[in-house]
Amino acid sequence: FMEVYFSLCIYLIYICKIQVMRKLLKYIILLLIWIGTTTSKAELSNSVFDIRHIGYLEGLSSQRVFSIAQDKNGVIWIATKTGIDRFNGHTIKNYTLQGNFYHGDFAGRRLRVLYDEEYGLWAYDHTGRIYRYSIFNDCFEQDLYLGQFISGEIILNKLYLDHKGIFWCGLSTGLFRIEADGNITPVIQGEYVNDIVSTEETIFAGTSRGILQISHSQIRDINWLINEKDVQSLFWDANQNELWIGTFNNGLWVMNQETSNLLPLEGQSPGFINPIRAITEYDSQTLLVGIDGGGVYTVNRDTRQANLLISTEDSTDIFLQGNGVYAVTKDHQDNIWIGSYSGGVSVAIRSRYPVTLLTHERGNPQSLANNNVNDIEENINGELWFATDHGISIWNASSHIWKHVLKDNVVVTLCSGEAGTIWAGTYGEGVYLLNSQGHIIRHFTKQKGELLTNYIFSIRQDKDGDIWIGGLDGDLLVMDKQGRYKQSYDIKWIHSLAVVDNEQIAAATVNGFCLINKYTGEVQRYATYPELQDQNAMPISFACFLMAMEPFGWGLKEAN
């Protein structure tokens, strides 16, 4: 009867361990990824985002998107080819921009939005019509038509509002300023202006021939800052006193205003040869760069390293529906709104606590070997080792590459050893000592006289570097860090081991649990079967309880 009883207990413990480890798995991976994302904001990748696409089916007025802004209430305003769309998080409302249009005005039509907390929401089109949103009437009302004041061709590329509330207009024919009295003053004529940014002292105008620098106090004080570059977009970094410059076909550049050094971004991918339409701040370390035909890149301001964040490449679940990026905006919750020329709007939604689900995929060696995960360990290389019913799967979280070792073994427990080694306990095949690459250094078995059982359930290394090995039908074994026998204890049917402190090791068994003092050799036993027999309690519950508590530490020093 006792043999049947113990066999049943061992089976139940094994099943219990698998179930509890499955529950712990999601929390362990959650913690690892959360730590990685919170300790280094610069390492922004698509793994911390989910994706949502907004197009015709969701109510978008057009798939061609040129501009996106968020107001102080959190509402997203989207400028498309046909109108302005208001998205409140649930529904989209479409607004049309009224006016006395000529027949040709709708050819190649481009609309954009501009928002300022003090001066409100504005919209404008390439024909020079400027609209202001009326909260009272819930519509866009035409405020100005530049064609009434400026003769000749009108192509309005940029409407900019400076810190004094003055509008600057970047046109195909130059740079103009709208004065407080409504008059329009030409500042620069004969230049094709694509973008405008400013500091408190200076306006920077990006043109098809370079960058012009204009003083706020003396608007006739104009200098060519950069020549012979077709500038499409600008971003002013006030903290670093640097001007970031996106060109039409010459990549991304950075100019330091203190040293006047102009340097290209190092290691730019071929995608940066395409027009750079948007440069947006994500956080203190990261810029977002939208490229027409190249998707969205992140750029670390300190290291100057660029990495592709998202594109139409669908090798992951995070992808765009159009690579012709014209608009990139970060909202108040760190989500990224991306508008493209043909794919509508894609929202990269930031996951506060991103979780990566790792599963076995039939026929795919680049996945977990088996979905029954019994233990997890991180080696010195930062790789995650998963002990499964079909060997060990080693996952490189950076490259997402898997490799598999001990494929024909049921691996139950893992333990980090000296110099990056990993001790792996198996069900029936003893213990393997592996190097950091997963290669076998030694194989310990009962047949060789090195172990007291081949059925290993728990391995732990204590503070002195000694290895404790517990299993089913053999005594608790202690080895030194080289794998040489040191001592054994008359404790069998061990389910789980844990290091309590410098002196004590705890062992959970099918017949209660034990505290072992490694220096005195004293063994204290608690909750054994005879003690619980009168209470009609199954001692297996203590083993399961101790195993479940193991990752969170022990509080057993005062157990007696």
Side-chain angles (χ1 to χ4, degrees), residues 136-152:
F136 182 78
N137 295 320
D138 188 25
C139 68
F140 285 87
E141 300 172 345
Q142 185 170 311
D143 187 78
L144 184 67
Y145 176 41
L146 296 179
Q148 295 177 342
F149 302 90
I150 303 171
S151 60

Side-chain angles (χ1 to χ4, degrees), residues 265-526:
L265 192 72
E266 294 183 3
Q268 297 186 47
S269 70
F272 279 80
I273 300 301
N274 295 327
I276 298 174
R277 303 292 188 188
I279 307 174
T280 303
E281 181 178 52
Y282 186 80
D283 56 35
S284 60
Q285 293 176 301
T286 309
L287 294 180
L288 300 172
V289 179
I291 300 178
D292 188 357
V296 178
Y297 284 76
T298 62
V299 177
N300 186 301
R301 300 194 209 187
D302 298 325
T303 65
R304 302 289 200 262
Q305 293 297 310
N307 293 292
L308 179 63
L309 177 67
I310 184 170
S311 69
T312 54
E313 171 61 45
D314 60 356
S315 58
T316 68
D317 293 332
I318 310 301
F319 61 91
L320 299 178
Q321 293 189 327
N323 253 357
V325 175
Y326 271 68
V328 180
T329 300
K330 188 192 85 165
D331 69 17
H332 301 157
Q333 297 183 344
D334 295 338
N335 305 315
I336 303 173
W337 294 73
I338 303 163
S340 69
Y341 192 78
S342 60
V345 174
S346 295
V347 189
I349 302 170
R350 182 69 183 262
S351 301
R352 292 300 172 191
Y353 306 103
V355 175
T356 299
L357 180 62
L358 306 175
T359 61
H360 171 68
E361 298 175 12
R362 186 178 178 86
N364 181 12
Q366 287 302 309
S367 68
L368 194 65
N370 186 275
N371 283 333
N372 290 330
V373 177
N374 304 313
D375 203 359
I376 305 173
E377 191 75 18
E378 184 178 12
N379 72 356
I380 60 173
N381 301 328
E383 296 172 325
L384 290 179
W385 291 47
F386 298 89
T388 79
D389 284 0
H390 192 55
I392 299 173
S393 294
I394 304 172
W395 184 54
N396 187 308
S398 300
S399 64
H400 301 285
I401 293 176
W402 290 87
K403 60 182 175 182
H404 308 282
V405 297
L406 303 184
K407 296 181 181 180
D408 296 326
N409 294 272
V410 177
V411 182
V412 181
T413 182
L414 299 170
C415 176
S416 294
E418 297 294 314
T421 57
I422 297 287
W423 295 79
T426 70
Y427 191 83
E429 296 295 331
V431 174
Y432 289 86
L433 179 61
L434 309 172
N435 66 15
S436 61
Q437 302 302 313
H439 300 140
I440 298 173
I441 299 174
R442 286 184 66 180
H443 181 199
F444 301 85
T445 65
K446 182 178 179 180
Q447 290 83 347
K448 296 178 183 178
E450 300 163 319
L451 300 178
L452 302 177
T453 177
N454 283 332
Y455 296 87
I456 311 300
F457 264 27
S458 187
I459 303 176
R460 289 293 177 265
Q461 184 178 48
D462 66 20
K463 302 296 174 49
D464 298 324
D466 293 335
I467 303 299
W468 295 67
I469 301 173
L472 296 189
D473 54 354
D475 291 346
L476 174 62
L477 175 64
V478 185
M479 293 180 171
D480 65 16
K481 62 184 70 176
Q482 281 77 36
R484 295 175 296 215
Y485 175 88
K486 286 192 70 173
Q487 192 173 354
S488 63
Y489 297 87
D490 185 18
I491 305 173
K492 298 180 176 63
W493 308 101
I494 294 171
H495 173 60
S496 184
L497 297 169
V499 178
V500 178
D501 53 31
N502 290 332
E503 298 180 355
Q504 296 186 100
I505 302 295
T509 78
V510 297
N511 189 24
F513 63 90
C514 307
L515 283 177
I516 306 106
N517 188 308
K518 69 172 292 185
Y519 298 118
T520 67
E522 180 185 3
V523 177
Q524 301 179 61
R525 299 177 184 271
Y526 303 91

Side-chain angles (χ1 to χ4, degrees), residues 146 150-157 169-176 186-194 207:
L146 296 179
I150 303 171
S151 60
E153 181 187 39
I154 293 291
I155 299 177
L156 177 58
N157 297 313
C169 302
L171 301 176
S172 58
T173 55
L175 179 67
F176 294 77
V187 180
I188 300 169
Q189 292 183 301
E191 299 293 338
Y192 198 104
V193 180
N194 292 306
T207 78

Side-chain angles (χ1 to χ4, degrees), residues 199 235-244 254-261 281 283-287 300-304:
T199 68
F235 173 78
W236 172 251
D237 186 343
N239 293 327
Q240 301 293 330
N241 201 24
E242 291 177 333
L243 184 64
W244 290 74
V254 187
M255 169 171 273
N256 186 291
Q257 292 302 290
E258 294 178 357
T259 64
S260 297
N261 287 335
E281 181 178 52
D283 56 35
S284 60
Q285 293 176 301
T286 309
L287 294 180
N300 186 301
R301 300 194 209 187
D302 298 325
T303 65
R304 302 289 200 262

Side-chain angles (χ1 to χ4, degrees), residues 107-124:
R109 194 182 191 202
R110 299 192 305 272
L111 305 181
R112 301 182 190 274
V113 287
L114 168 67
Y115 177 74
D116 183 88
E117 285 196 11
E118 182 177 353
Y119 297 99
L121 179 67
W122 300 77
Y124 59 99

Side-chain angles (χ1 to χ4, degrees), residues 168-236:
W168 297 76
C169 302
L171 301 176
S172 58
T173 55
L175 179 67
F176 294 77
R177 190 171 80 165
I178 303 175
E179 307 293 347
D181 57 7
N183 289 324
I184 297 177
T185 302
V187 180
I188 300 169
Q189 292 183 301
E191 299 293 338
Y192 198 104
V193 180
N194 292 306
D195 202 5
I196 306 167
V197 296
S198 75
T199 68
E200 291 187 359
E201 297 84 19
T202 307
I203 284 281
F204 298 102
T207 78
S208 60
R209 296 200 304 133
I211 297 177
L212 288 161
Q213 184 177 11
I214 305 103
S215 170
H216 274 293
S217 58
Q218 299 290 331
I219 63 171
R220 299 307 172 192
D221 182 9
I222 303 171
N223 297 298
W224 280 102
L225 189 66
I226 296 172
N227 289 301
E228 298 180 355
K229 293 193 185 306
D230 188 348
V231 177
Q232 297 292 302
S233 54
L234 297 170
F235 173 78
W236 172 251

